[in-house]
Amino acid sequence: MKTVMHLLQSKPSQAVYTITPAATVLEAITLMADKGIGALVVTEGDRVVGIISERDYARKVVLMERSSYDTAVSDIMSSQVVHVGPEQSTEQCMTLMTERRLRHLPVLDEAQRLIGLVSIGDLVKDVISEQQNIIDHLEQYIRGEHG
């Protein structure tokens, strides 16, 4: 069973982008656009205090006719952050994300420090890769190339 730590180590970029709760929504959306990402972890010092996503922006700013220029991240972020540890399996993450309808899971170590972020896209890529490996091994077996 693959763990979250294995998944994080296999990602091409292990950068996790964060923003403070006092930043404006415009700053958050600009950073997401610049980095090509869909969510930011909201931190105060080393502490994770929330998460803000494009979905939050669409539902809590655009639809509510707020201004991105003067709305704080803290006003629209999700403060009940569901997170996982590095030892959890990718299957557990997929189940959690599906049940809770989440697209991003912060990864926290034992001291509750942010060490990574797993997206639903990361998990789907991993599942596809695992399935391709199984297919390749079965094809080799069928051709008699097993050793």
Side-chain angles (χ1 to χ4, degrees):
M1 224 177 345
K2 197 174 217 178
T3 66
V4 170
M5 184 53 80
H6 291 119
L7 183 62
L8 289 176
Q9 291 169 344
S10 70
K11 287 176 69 164
S13 171
Q14 295 176 18
V16 180
Y17 297 100
T18 63
I19 197 155
T20 66
T24 66
V25 171
L26 181 63
E27 291 171 299
I29 292 298
T30 301
L31 180 57
M32 284 187 242
D34 288 348
K35 301 300 179 186
I37 56 176
L40 296 168
V41 179
V42 183
T43 57
E44 283 184 328
D46 286 344
R47 233 171 32 110
V48 173
V49 296
I51 191 162
I52 182 172
S53 68
E54 293 169 327
R55 184 188 291 178
D56 292 319
Y57 174 72
R59 292 181 180 173
K60 299 174 187 172
V61 175
V62 176
L63 286 178
M64 299 186 79
E65 298 181 2
R66 290 177 162 166
S67 168
S68 303
Y69 294 90
D70 57 18
T71 301
V73 165
S74 60
D75 292 340
I76 70 162
M77 71 183 190
S78 300
S79 56
Q80 299 296 316
V81 181
V82 177
H83 63 276
V84 294
E87 72 290 341
Q88 287 188 264
S89 73
T90 54
E91 288 87 358
Q92 289 171 319
C93 290
M94 187 73 85
T95 300
L96 183 61
M97 292 174 99
T98 302
E99 288 174 355
R100 302 292 278 289
R101 303 188 74 168
L102 304 170
R103 295 182 183 178
H104 302 88
L105 281 175
V107 182
L108 306 182
D109 66 12
E110 311 80 42
Q112 299 300 295
R113 287 184 306 246
L114 180 65
I115 59 171
L117 185 69
V118 175
S119 72
I120 193 70
D122 296 332
L123 290 167
V124 168
K125 285 179 199 167
D126 184 62
V127 167
I128 290 169
S129 173
E130 289 294 318
Q131 289 176 345
Q132 189 58 53
N133 284 340
I134 291 169
I135 290 168
D136 292 346
H137 286 281
L138 288 172
E139 286 176 344
Q140 288 175 0
Y141 183 80
I142 290 167
R143 289 193 304 265
E145 297 175 10
H146 56 282

